[in-house]
Each structure stands twice: as C-alpha cells, then as structure tokens.
Amino acid sequence: MSPIARRFAAFTLLAAGLTACGGGGSGSKEAATPPPAAPAAGNAQAAAAPSGDAILIGHFGSMTGSEATFGQSTDNGIRLAIKEVNAAGGVKGRPIAIKTYDDQGKSQEAGTAVTRLITDDKVAAVLGEVASSLSLAGGRVAQQYGVPMISPSSTNPKVTQIGDMVFRVCFLDPFQGWVEAKFARENLKAQKAAILYDQAQAYSKGLADFFKDAFEKMGGTITTQQAYTGGDQDFSAQLTTIRGTNPDVILVPGYYTDAGNISIQVRKLGITVPLIGGDGWDSTQLEAIGKDAIEGSYYSNHYSFQENRPEVKNFVEKYKADYGKVPDGLAALGYDAARLLFDAMNRASALDGKTLAAAIAATKDFNGVTGSITMDANRDARKSAVIVQVKGGMPVFVTKIEPPK
Amino acid sequence: MTKFLQTLMDGIAVGSLYALIALGYTMVYGILQFINFAHSDIFVLGAWISYTIAVALGYAAATTSPPAWESLLIILAAMATCGAVGFTIERLAYRPLRKAPRLNVLITAIGVSLFLQNVGQLKWFFGTQPQRMPAVLDDRILGSLAGVQIHSVDLIGAATALGLMVVLDWLIFRTRLGRAMRAVSHDIAVASLMGINVDAVISFTFVLGSSLAAAAGFLYAMKYPGLNQPAHATWVLLGLKAFVAAVIGGIGNIRGAMLGGILIGFIELFGAAYLSPHLRDIYVFSILILVLLVRPTGILGKPVAEKV
C-alpha cells in the first residue's frame, strides 16, 4: 500500500467506526432495548414473578428528529406501564417485553419499522405512532399482516379507517378542531381567525379544516388560510399577509418545533393576538424554543397534569419518580395505550391477531389517565379535551371541554 | 409599498447569508474542481457551535444581550472552530485523493457530509432536539420606514456579511496570498513549479471557506433563533440553495457567488411574497434550470473550451 492509500484507508476506517457508534448512540433505528430475555430475568426478584416466555410487543416512534420528544415521551409512558404490569404478575402469567424502533419522524422509516417488528421480531401487537401521517404508513403494514396496532395519539380520522386491526385511544381532530373553535368563540370572544398550517402533515391540514368548519358554523370568519412546509425557517411572507387581515386569533395546528419558530416571528412582526394550537404543541421544547414569544398562547390537549383526578395524580407521581419530569399528554397516552392493550390481552382467549383485535374492540369504560375509554364501532375513543395556556413557561390548565351530546 | 420594502430588506438579509455560504463552494471548486458537499454541514456546525458557546457563557436564560465584544468573541470562536474542522477534513479526506478521479472525491464529500450530520446529532454533541439560540445580538427595532420595521439583527447581519465579502475580495485580488490562490486555481502543476506551496494554499482555502460558512451560521441563528437539529432536512436544502447561488453566479467565480447569493435571496422572498409562499424552493431551482439552459457557465463565469 502506498502511503496515501494507507492514510486514506485509515481515515475511512475511522469514519466508519465513528459513524457506526454514532448510529448506536441515537441515530440508529434501534433505541436502547433490553434483549427479550432481560425482563424475565429482571422480574425474578419481584414478588409475583411472572413465568414463561415473555410476550413481545413493539413500539415505533420518532425517538430522534424534530418531533423526538413525541416518541421519547410515548416510550417512557409505555415502559412505565410494562414495569407496573410485570411487577403485578404480567399478562396471563407471562412477562411483557418491548422492542422499540426509531422511525426518525419519516413515513418510509415508519413502514419499515412496523414490517421489522412483525416479520423479524414477531410481536403480538404494535403501539405507535404519534404523528398521523406515520400511523397511516405503519397502520397499513399492521393491517396487511393482521397484527393489531394501537395508536396512542394520532388524531386524524383516516388512521383507523385503514381497517379492523388499527385502533386509537385518543380523541379525533374533528372534535379537537371543534374544541378549539368553541374555545376561541366563547372564551376568547374571537370574531376573526387566521390559519397557518403545515401542508406536509395530514394532522395539520385536517385540524385546520375542522377548525374552519366549526368556527364558521359558530358565526366567526376565517380571514386567511396560509400554508408552510414543516421545517421551514422563514414565515415572513405568510405572517405579513396574516397581519394585514387583522385576526383576533391565529390557529397554528402544526408541531411544536414549527409552532415555536412561528411564534418568534409572529411577535417580531408586531402581532400581539394569541396563537391557538392542538396537541401537536405538547412538548417542553415548545416553551424552550418559543420562550416569551409563546407566552399566553393556548392549545388543546388530552389531559393536564394539574387535573385533580386520582388516576392523574398517581400517574404523574410515578412518572416523576422514574423519569424526573412531569409527563406530557403523549406520555399519558402511551401509558394508557399500553395498559389498555394488556387489559385486552388478559381478556382475550388467545394472542393471535384476530382474537386480540376483537378483545381490544370490545373495550368498555376502561379507566385511563386521559379519561374513560370505550372503543366505538370505528375503533376510536370518545373523550373530553382540555385547553391549556402557556404561562411562565408551563402549560397551565384553563378549562375542560366535553364532547357534544 | 410596505410589503415591497419589507421583502426587499428580507431579501438582502437572507441573500447575503446565501452568498457567504456560496463563497466556500465556489473557492473549493475554483481550486480543486470538485463540489464540497460537506460545506453546508460546516455552516450548520457554525450555527450550533455559536449556540453551544452562548449557552456555555450563560446567555440561555439571560434577558439582556451581552456587550458587543462578547458577541464578536462568539462569532470569532465559531469561525475558528469551523476553520479547524475544514482544515482537518481537507487534510484527512480530500488530500489523499488529490490525484484520484473527481468522482471519488465527490463521493467522499457526500460521505463526510453524512458523517458530520450523524456525529452532530449524537448526545454528546448537539443532540436531536431543536433549540432556541440565545439573543446574543441586541434585537431592537431601529425605526420604521413606511410601516416596515428595521430590526438591528437584520442590519448587523447584512453588514457583517457584506463586510466579510469585501475583506475576502481584497484578500483574493490585492494580496500575495490571493495571487497564489488564483495561480493554483489556474493551474496547480505550473503554480507548484513557480514555487507556490500548493498544499498550504489549498488548506488556507478550506479554512477561509469554512470560517465564512461559520459566520453565516452564526448570523442565520441570529435571524432565525429556532435551531433545527443538525441532521434536519431543512439544513440540507439551505446548503443546496447556497450551492445553486454559486452555480448561478458562475462556479469558481468569487464575485459571481456573491451576486448569485443575493439573487437567490431576492427570487426566493419575492416569489414567496408575491406568488405563493409554499413554492419558494421551486422558484430557486427553476432559476437554476433556466440559467443552466441559457448560460451554462453562470452569470459571471467564463466559457470553457472542452478539450476533446
């Protein structure tokens, strides 16, 4: 080898090595997951030690990427539920183990992750995703293989329309849009609203449409509807147009990173009206990015950690003990989705896809942290929503809105 | 009128940043005839290093901006760090391939780019969370002109960018070092026969281009304080637009890159303001196609006779 070739070889080796460990750190598809046998071993000391082979369930979520807190919070919630169920003797006397794949917030990765979970890891059920477009990608795969999938927090109506294997434990966007419109009209007395939505996200576009419908039915006017693409940094053109129409509120139904960036530029342009968002805002990074610009804005969510129900208090306490922070709505929904799954597994006569799906579909009045969950004919949950306001860098409980009778 | 002036100002502010990044692409191409695709990642590194330093200095929670000399220190530190990274990349990744076909170097550049992106999102570097850049430049409204607010950040950003470009122009066209760079760019073999230390000149080019990209990263983080995570697709797109600026201006041509950058800024923002904001990327790449069709060497590029 010539000296040049040798040096080049050394560099590529070094680069390959570093990339490989980079992958293992956070960029890879596999997040830290104990090997399937580990939970069984770990639970040997527990009082009611579950015996037998572990039942493996899968989770796919955005553990990295610009919506990383979604996947991480959900995973934390799921793992807390698993820890509890294993300590209480497991499901059907068997411990639960979990495998988590990172889809990096990309739909093609989401499809691959679910395929891997089902064909390679042979999971009994899949939990995930938060983002509706990713649940749509993953859900199709789960449906095709006949493995039940429960989305903890995808709110777009299309998600469960995929087929009889796909469920969710959260409310839907038509309801969320209605809640935001009702709050804007009745509590904020808004006459005119502008909308700035993410054209690349099914969730954002859906929420914008449902809000518009409800807001107009309640007698308000939409001054303008502007679009951006998730990850954009400059919103000046859209916001200048919005400023020209003098709205009383601006609906920004995107995810927290964009919402934070938008809020900064909204205030820079001298617009002072509050912004309204949906559960896609639910992340501590919203306040970290938006800082003073996001103060005073409102968003609808699945639960508030300040609610006075015993289930909420109990969950918040346990979560804090394990992870050292207050759980967001996504952690609560991850926890509820996992617990609902275990409940259905216990009721099911067998764990094959069809029987398990039937047991999930039969869920009635399940007592979750985010409210009582009953699966309707469309495999959706009918639940109430809360409105929170960002105050002092924290989402503060404002009001609870029940679904219309 | 308000909208026009606002867009004009934003166009200059964004365009001068594109120009700063485009300079790095164009200088490397001018000397080594290959496109350094890792260059946009140096820009990202510049933004994130500025963030890291500002946080380390305790400005994350601060309500007031630091004195001017401390902001200057942050931008200089980011420029120095990125300059060192640029030097290292050239030394380890590109120099061993100096005699290899251009395609090999191009592929290596893409590899280096992916390497930087993935290392950047590791826990012990910048992580995967978006962050808020502390306001280390005083962002106040200096005044308003026909309803357009003039922000100090925009003004300082454009002024710094233009200042750096003037310095670079002077360096290249008025100094011995610049003459050496131009000589190497003209013909490496002959330049080396004339006693020019080619390796040193090339290293210097990388250091210079990388530190300009770092300055652009700092200024970008000032204008758009919500920083996306290092491997986010947005950054790649930004780098591509700067590359387009270099091509439109005439790749290899310093003044062409500056012109191209400002042009891209205008096309993007006027398109967004007067046509449709969510098609902004399409305007930029349409112009690229148009320029390549009409004048393949770019606006200021010289036609080259291909030897057959």
Side-chain angles (χ1 to χ4, degrees):
Chain A
M1 239 186 217
S2 75
I4 288 174
R6 203 164 50 231
R7 231 187 299 160
F8 178 62
F11 174 75
T12 32
L13 272 179
L14 177 76
L18 277 170
T19 327
C21 62
S26 64
S28 84
K29 292 200 182 81
E30 254 170 279
T33 314
N43 274 288
Q45 308 105 319
S51 55
D53 290 344
I55 302 171
L56 189 65
I57 61 169
H59 172 220
F60 70 112
S62 48
M63 308 302 286
T64 62
S66 48
E67 285 98 43
T69 66
F70 286 173
Q72 290 162 1
S73 287
T74 307
D75 205 56
N76 287 349
I78 295 172
R79 280 169 198 269
L80 183 61
I82 292 176
K83 193 177 134 188
E84 273 178 36
V85 77
N86 284 345
V91 171
K92 291 180 185 298
R94 291 165 66 186
I96 296 283
I98 182 178
K99 190 131 210 176
T100 302
Y101 287 130
D102 177 16
D103 59 34
Q104 303 165 16
K106 298 174 186 159
S107 34
Q108 66 273 33
E109 297 285 335
T112 317
V114 176
T115 309
R116 266 180 84 190
L117 283 171
I118 294 173
T119 57
D120 291 0
D121 304 312
K122 313 250 184 293
V123 296
V126 177
L127 298 176
E129 233 272 356
V130 174
S132 295
S133 20
L134 303 187
S135 284
L136 284 167
R140 283 191 194 103
V141 179
Q143 180 69 32
Q144 194 189 331
Y145 285 101
V147 173
M149 173 179 129
I150 306 178
S151 164
S153 29
S154 284
T155 48
N156 191 283
K158 289 198 183 109
V159 170
T160 48
Q161 287 165 15
I162 291 174
D164 58 353
M165 286 292 153
V166 184
F167 303 84
R168 78 176 111 214
V169 296
C170 55
F171 52 61
L172 273 72
D173 282 336
F175 171 63
Q176 189 169 206
W178 176 83
V179 162
E180 286 155 4
K182 185 176 152 83
F183 177 76
R185 285 291 291 143
E186 290 176 9
N187 299 54
L188 300 180
K189 310 271 179 249
Q191 283 292 343
K192 298 184 290 175
I195 299 176
L196 178 58
Y197 69 94
D198 178 354
Q199 58 178 350
Q201 292 289 349
Y203 160 80
S204 187
K205 176 79 176 96
L207 204 47
D209 290 345
F210 298 121
F211 174 86
K212 179 175 185 283
D213 265 13
F215 195 73
E216 282 173 345
K217 276 204 188 104
M218 292 172 197
T221 20
I222 301 293
T223 59
T224 177
Q225 235 178 320
Q226 299 280 319
Y228 66 93
T229 306
D232 277 358
Q233 295 277 13
D234 186 281
F235 307 93
S236 52
Q238 293 97 317
L239 291 174
T240 308
T241 311
I242 287 175
R243 184 175 64 177
T245 66
N246 269 324
D248 302 319
V249 289
I250 304 172
L251 180 79
V252 184
Y255 292 134
Y256 59 89
T257 309
D258 297 323
N261 284 342
I262 288 169
S263 73
I264 299 171
Q265 288 181 40
V266 163
R267 301 297 173 235
K268 248 192 181 173
L269 276 173
I271 305 172
T272 52
V273 300
L275 309 183
I276 299 184
D279 57 333
W281 280 26
D282 188 15
S283 166
T284 47
Q285 286 309 105
L286 176 79
E287 290 91 12
I289 297 169
K291 292 236 166 87
D292 46 327
I294 200 73
E295 278 286 305
S297 289
Y298 302 89
Y299 62 94
S300 53
N301 206 354
H302 303 272
Y303 101 117
S304 164
F305 69 92
Q306 290 165 325
E307 275 179 272
N308 228 342
R309 284 182 289 130
E311 298 88 19
V312 174
K313 286 192 156 164
N314 183 23
F315 168 66
V316 171
E317 212 164 275
K318 280 192 216 155
Y319 191 92
K320 264 186 174 164
D322 272 27
Y323 301 106
K325 55 186 169 193
V326 171
D328 54 20
L330 302 158
L333 284 169
Y335 179 77
D336 276 359
R339 281 181 57 235
L340 186 139
L341 175 65
F342 304 150
D343 174 67
M345 281 176 162
N346 270 325
R347 283 187 283 111
S349 54
L351 290 181
D352 64 286
K354 263 221 160 79
T355 323
L356 185 53
I360 300 172
T363 303
K364 250 196 155 59
D365 300 321
F366 178 82
N367 193 20
V369 172
T370 59
S372 169
I373 302 168
T374 299
M375 282 294 159
D376 68 9
N378 302 321
R379 298 168 301 282
D380 296 329
R382 189 180 162 87
K383 292 158 80 184
S384 57
V386 298
I387 296 277
V388 294
Q389 183 180 27
V390 181
K391 255 189 189 162
M394 288 270 279
V396 175
F397 179 77
V398 176
T399 179
K400 186 165 189 158
I401 298 181
E402 297 290 339
K405 291 280 178 266
Chain B
M1 192 60 192
T2 309
K3 194 174 173 183
F4 180 80
L5 285 177
Q6 179 87 57
T7 314
L8 192 74
M9 255 185 37
D10 283 341
I12 296 174
V14 176
S16 52
L17 298 187
Y18 282 140
L20 271 186
I21 310 169
L23 284 168
Y25 279 113
T26 230
M27 284 195 290
V28 168
Y29 185 86
I31 289 185
L32 292 173
Q33 265 81 49
F34 88 95
I35 294 146
N36 178 14
F37 275 114
H39 187 63
S40 68
D41 301 293
I42 302 280
F43 157 69
V44 180
L45 197 65
W48 276 93
I49 286 176
S50 310
Y51 163 79
T52 311
I53 298 171
V55 168
L57 288 175
Y59 284 110
T63 46
T64 50
S65 302
W69 67 267
E70 238 171 82
S71 319
L72 194 68
L73 206 71
I74 295 174
I75 186 172
L76 288 178
M79 286 172 80
T81 316
C82 288
V85 173
F87 176 84
T88 315
I89 289 174
E90 192 275 327
R91 199 61 198 260
L92 293 181
Y94 301 145
R95 190 173 295 180
L97 293 174
R98 184 110 10 110
K99 294 209 168 60
R102 291 302 100 187
L103 193 61
N104 299 18
V105 196
L106 197 74
I107 294 165
T108 307
I110 295 171
V112 172
S113 163
L114 289 172
F115 174 78
L116 288 177
Q117 281 176 24
N118 284 291
V119 167
Q121 64 171 345
L122 290 180
K123 271 202 286 294
W124 47 86
F125 284 95
F126 310 120
T128 57
Q129 297 290 353
Q131 300 291 355
R132 168 78 176 258
M133 175 78 192
V136 294
L137 280 184
D138 198 13
D139 192 11
R140 67 171 67 147
I141 296 162
L142 293 175
S144 61
L145 191 75
V148 182
Q149 291 170 346
I150 300 165
H151 284 269
S152 53
V153 160
D154 286 355
L155 213 63
I156 296 172
T160 313
L162 295 174
L164 283 170
M165 285 188 263
V166 169
V167 171
L168 181 77
D169 200 77
W170 169 81
L171 193 93
I172 286 178
F173 292 101
R174 295 274 178 278
T175 63
R176 279 175 67 90
L177 192 60
R179 191 185 296 164
M181 282 172 76
R182 283 180 287 140
V184 171
S185 138
H186 195 74
D187 192 320
I188 290 190
V190 176
S192 122
L193 288 176
M194 294 298 131
I196 293 172
N197 184 345
V198 172
D199 280 345
V201 168
I202 291 174
S203 287
F204 178 74
T205 309
F206 271 85
V207 171
L208 202 60
S210 301
S211 48
L212 289 177
F218 172 84
L219 296 171
Y220 190 85
M222 287 292 101
K223 184 158 171 61
Y224 304 111
L227 283 188
N228 279 324
Q229 66 122 332
H232 198 284
T234 317
W235 293 118
V236 180
L237 195 64
L238 262 166
L240 271 182
K241 285 187 196 163
F243 168 61
V244 169
V247 173
I248 287 181
I251 190 131
N253 187 305
I254 301 283
R255 287 171 184 170
M258 299 179 200
L259 182 73
I262 303 279
L263 214 59
I264 290 289
F266 280 151
I267 289 163
E268 189 183 350
L269 287 163
F270 275 100
Y274 287 94
L275 297 170
S276 171
H278 53 268
L279 296 177
R280 63 199 322 157
D281 304 332
I282 294 177
Y283 312 135
V284 172
F285 292 104
S286 309
I287 290 294
L288 171 70
I289 294 169
L290 202 73
V291 168
L292 288 180
L293 280 175
V294 178
R295 204 181 150 81
T297 49
I299 298 169
L300 298 186
K302 289 191 200 79
V304 209
E306 287 279 342
K307 275 180 240 165
V308 187

